PDB file of all heavy atoms in Angstrom:
ATOM      1  N   ASP K 571     -15.822  -6.133 -23.450  1.00  0.00           N
ATOM      2  CA  ASP K 571     -15.796  -5.808 -24.893  1.00  0.00           C
ATOM      3  C   ASP K 571     -17.015  -6.414 -25.588  1.00  0.00           C
ATOM      4  O   ASP K 571     -16.890  -7.056 -26.580  1.00  0.00           O
ATOM      5  CB  ASP K 571     -14.543  -6.400 -25.555  1.00  0.00           C
ATOM      6  CG  ASP K 571     -13.273  -5.528 -25.072  1.00  0.00           C
ATOM      7  OD1 ASP K 571     -13.486  -4.340 -24.707  1.00  0.00           O
ATOM      8  OD2 ASP K 571     -12.253  -6.067 -25.025  1.00  0.00           O
ATOM      9  N   GLY K 572     -18.130  -6.268 -24.990  1.00  0.00           N
ATOM     10  CA  GLY K 572     -19.342  -6.782 -25.643  1.00  0.00           C
ATOM     11  C   GLY K 572     -19.719  -8.181 -25.363  1.00  0.00           C
ATOM     12  O   GLY K 572     -20.814  -8.691 -25.718  1.00  0.00           O
ATOM     13  N   ALA K 573     -18.884  -8.967 -24.714  1.00  0.00           N
ATOM     14  CA  ALA K 573     -19.163 -10.356 -24.283  1.00  0.00           C
ATOM     15  C   ALA K 573     -19.822 -10.291 -22.954  1.00  0.00           C
ATOM     16  O   ALA K 573     -19.290  -9.851 -21.969  1.00  0.00           O
ATOM     17  CB  ALA K 573     -17.780 -11.043 -24.161  1.00  0.00           C
ATOM     18  N   SER K 574     -20.980 -10.695 -22.970  1.00  0.00           N
ATOM     19  CA  SER K 574     -21.826 -10.824 -21.684  1.00  0.00           C
ATOM     20  C   SER K 574     -21.603 -12.050 -20.866  1.00  0.00           C
ATOM     21  O   SER K 574     -21.758 -13.158 -21.525  1.00  0.00           O
ATOM     22  CB  SER K 574     -23.320 -10.745 -22.069  1.00  0.00           C
ATOM     23  OG  SER K 574     -24.068 -11.030 -20.987  1.00  0.00           O
ATOM     24  N   VAL K 575     -21.235 -11.956 -19.631  1.00  0.00           N
ATOM     25  CA  VAL K 575     -20.946 -13.098 -18.821  1.00  0.00           C
ATOM     26  C   VAL K 575     -22.215 -13.962 -18.713  1.00  0.00           C
ATOM     27  O   VAL K 575     -22.266 -15.209 -18.913  1.00  0.00           O
ATOM     28  CB  VAL K 575     -20.492 -12.798 -17.465  1.00  0.00           C
ATOM     29  CG1 VAL K 575     -20.292 -14.069 -16.603  1.00  0.00           C
ATOM     30  CG2 VAL K 575     -19.090 -12.064 -17.557  1.00  0.00           C
ATOM     31  N   GLU K 576     -23.419 -13.292 -18.644  1.00  0.00           N
ATOM     32  CA  GLU K 576     -24.614 -14.042 -18.563  1.00  0.00           C
ATOM     33  C   GLU K 576     -25.043 -14.851 -19.773  1.00  0.00           C
ATOM     34  O   GLU K 576     -25.539 -15.933 -19.724  1.00  0.00           O
ATOM     35  CB  GLU K 576     -25.851 -13.078 -18.193  1.00  0.00           C
ATOM     36  CG  GLU K 576     -27.129 -13.693 -17.998  1.00  0.00           C
ATOM     37  CD  GLU K 576     -28.223 -12.771 -17.533  1.00  0.00           C
ATOM     38  OE1 GLU K 576     -28.079 -11.517 -17.680  1.00  0.00           O
ATOM     39  OE2 GLU K 576     -29.255 -13.228 -16.996  1.00  0.00           O
ATOM     40  N   HIS K 577     -24.843 -14.229 -20.967  1.00  0.00           N
ATOM     41  CA  HIS K 577     -25.274 -14.791 -22.222  1.00  0.00           C
ATOM     42  C   HIS K 577     -24.209 -15.533 -23.011  1.00  0.00           C
ATOM     43  O   HIS K 577     -24.598 -16.315 -23.817  1.00  0.00           O
ATOM     44  CB  HIS K 577     -25.921 -13.695 -23.046  1.00  0.00           C
ATOM     45  CG  HIS K 577     -27.025 -13.164 -22.445  1.00  0.00           C
ATOM     46  ND1 HIS K 577     -28.259 -13.716 -22.109  1.00  0.00           N
ATOM     47  CD2 HIS K 577     -27.300 -11.789 -21.918  1.00  0.00           C
ATOM     48  CE1 HIS K 577     -29.135 -12.857 -21.599  1.00  0.00           C
ATOM     49  NE2 HIS K 577     -28.532 -11.730 -21.415  1.00  0.00           N
ATOM     50  N   ASP K 578     -22.918 -15.216 -22.798  1.00  0.00           N
ATOM     51  CA  ASP K 578     -21.805 -15.672 -23.677  1.00  0.00           C
ATOM     52  C   ASP K 578     -20.906 -16.629 -22.899  1.00  0.00           C
ATOM     53  O   ASP K 578     -20.015 -17.257 -23.648  1.00  0.00           O
ATOM     54  CB  ASP K 578     -21.082 -14.531 -24.259  1.00  0.00           C
ATOM     55  CG  ASP K 578     -21.953 -13.641 -25.223  1.00  0.00           C
ATOM     56  OD1 ASP K 578     -22.788 -14.216 -25.938  1.00  0.00           O
ATOM     57  OD2 ASP K 578     -21.923 -12.339 -25.006  1.00  0.00           O
ATOM     58  N   TRP K 579     -21.016 -16.826 -21.642  1.00  0.00           N
ATOM     59  CA  TRP K 579     -20.231 -17.755 -20.821  1.00  0.00           C
ATOM     60  C   TRP K 579     -20.267 -19.113 -21.466  1.00  0.00           C
ATOM     61  O   TRP K 579     -21.462 -19.536 -21.621  1.00  0.00           O
ATOM     62  CB  TRP K 579     -20.435 -17.605 -19.454  1.00  0.00           C
ATOM     63  CG  TRP K 579     -19.663 -18.555 -18.476  1.00  0.00           C
ATOM     64  CD1 TRP K 579     -20.152 -19.531 -17.902  1.00  0.00           C
ATOM     65  CD2 TRP K 579     -18.177 -18.554 -18.345  1.00  0.00           C
ATOM     66  NE1 TRP K 579     -19.081 -20.260 -17.169  1.00  0.00           N
ATOM     67  CE2 TRP K 579     -17.946 -19.643 -17.419  1.00  0.00           C
ATOM     68  CE3 TRP K 579     -17.232 -17.825 -18.794  1.00  0.00           C
ATOM     69  CZ2 TRP K 579     -16.639 -19.861 -17.081  1.00  0.00           C
ATOM     70  CZ3 TRP K 579     -15.969 -18.103 -18.394  1.00  0.00           C
ATOM     71  CH2 TRP K 579     -15.616 -19.191 -17.504  1.00  0.00           C
ATOM     72  N   ASN K 580     -19.177 -19.839 -21.532  1.00  0.00           N
ATOM     73  CA  ASN K 580     -19.251 -21.386 -22.071  1.00  0.00           C
ATOM     74  C   ASN K 580     -19.772 -21.422 -23.438  1.00  0.00           C
ATOM     75  O   ASN K 580     -19.979 -22.655 -23.863  1.00  0.00           O
ATOM     76  CB  ASN K 580     -19.956 -22.181 -21.160  1.00  0.00           C
ATOM     77  CG  ASN K 580     -19.255 -22.460 -19.914  1.00  0.00           C
ATOM     78  OD1 ASN K 580     -17.978 -22.531 -19.890  1.00  0.00           O
ATOM     79  ND2 ASN K 580     -19.815 -22.800 -18.796  1.00  0.00           N
ATOM     80  N   LYS K 581     -19.653 -20.346 -24.298  1.00  0.00           N
ATOM     81  CA  LYS K 581     -20.235 -20.549 -25.727  1.00  0.00           C
ATOM     82  C   LYS K 581     -18.956 -20.606 -26.461  1.00  0.00           C
ATOM     83  O   LYS K 581     -17.887 -20.220 -26.147  1.00  0.00           O
ATOM     84  CB  LYS K 581     -20.877 -19.229 -26.080  1.00  0.00           C
ATOM     85  CG  LYS K 581     -22.345 -19.144 -25.384  1.00  0.00           C
ATOM     86  CD  LYS K 581     -23.479 -18.924 -26.423  1.00  0.00           C
ATOM     87  CE  LYS K 581     -24.791 -19.018 -25.607  1.00  0.00           C
ATOM     88  NZ  LYS K 581     -25.497 -17.798 -25.774  1.00  0.00           N
ATOM     89  N   GLU K 582     -19.128 -21.446 -27.576  1.00  0.00           N
ATOM     90  CA  GLU K 582     -18.024 -21.736 -28.602  1.00  0.00           C
ATOM     91  C   GLU K 582     -18.057 -20.626 -29.705  1.00  0.00           C
ATOM     92  O   GLU K 582     -18.105 -21.087 -30.911  1.00  0.00           O
ATOM     93  CB  GLU K 582     -18.205 -23.147 -29.090  1.00  0.00           C
ATOM     94  CG  GLU K 582     -17.914 -24.111 -28.100  1.00  0.00           C
ATOM     95  CD  GLU K 582     -16.507 -24.282 -27.570  1.00  0.00           C
ATOM     96  OE1 GLU K 582     -15.747 -24.122 -28.306  1.00  0.00           O
ATOM     97  OE2 GLU K 582     -16.374 -24.781 -26.434  1.00  0.00           O
ATOM     98  N   ASN K 583     -18.030 -19.425 -29.390  1.00  0.00           N
ATOM     99  CA  ASN K 583     -17.890 -18.376 -30.388  1.00  0.00           C
ATOM    100  C   ASN K 583     -16.929 -17.345 -29.840  1.00  0.00           C
ATOM    101  O   ASN K 583     -16.212 -17.486 -28.848  1.00  0.00           O
ATOM    102  CB  ASN K 583     -19.285 -17.735 -30.597  1.00  0.00           C
ATOM    103  CG  ASN K 583     -19.799 -17.232 -29.242  1.00  0.00           C
ATOM    104  OD1 ASN K 583     -19.276 -16.712 -28.391  1.00  0.00           O
ATOM    105  ND2 ASN K 583     -21.294 -17.119 -29.362  1.00  0.00           N
ATOM    106  N   GLU K 584     -16.806 -16.256 -30.602  1.00  0.00           N
ATOM    107  CA  GLU K 584     -15.831 -15.230 -30.279  1.00  0.00           C
ATOM    108  C   GLU K 584     -15.945 -14.608 -29.038  1.00  0.00           C
ATOM    109  O   GLU K 584     -15.013 -14.438 -28.229  1.00  0.00           O
ATOM    110  CB  GLU K 584     -15.747 -14.187 -31.475  1.00  0.00           C
ATOM    111  CG  GLU K 584     -14.469 -13.250 -31.557  1.00  0.00           C
ATOM    112  CD  GLU K 584     -13.247 -14.274 -31.648  1.00  0.00           C
ATOM    113  OE1 GLU K 584     -13.204 -15.118 -32.478  1.00  0.00           O
ATOM    114  OE2 GLU K 584     -12.238 -13.941 -30.940  1.00  0.00           O
ATOM    115  N   LYS K 585     -17.144 -14.336 -28.704  1.00  0.00           N
ATOM    116  CA  LYS K 585     -17.566 -13.734 -27.261  1.00  0.00           C
ATOM    117  C   LYS K 585     -17.174 -14.602 -26.102  1.00  0.00           C
ATOM    118  O   LYS K 585     -16.717 -14.369 -25.199  1.00  0.00           O
ATOM    119  CB  LYS K 585     -18.919 -13.117 -27.248  1.00  0.00           C
ATOM    120  CG  LYS K 585     -19.172 -11.989 -28.059  1.00  0.00           C
ATOM    121  CD  LYS K 585     -20.628 -11.506 -28.045  1.00  0.00           C
ATOM    122  CE  LYS K 585     -20.897 -10.213 -28.847  1.00  0.00           C
ATOM    123  NZ  LYS K 585     -22.268  -9.867 -28.819  1.00  0.00           N
TER     124      LYS K 585
END
Side-chain angles (χ1 to χ4, degrees):
D571 292 334
S574 164
V575 174
E576 182 173 22
H577 300 291
D578 299 312
W579 177 246
N580 285 331
K581 294 230 173 118
E582 295 290 327
N583 58 26
E584 200 56 41
K585 290 179 179 180

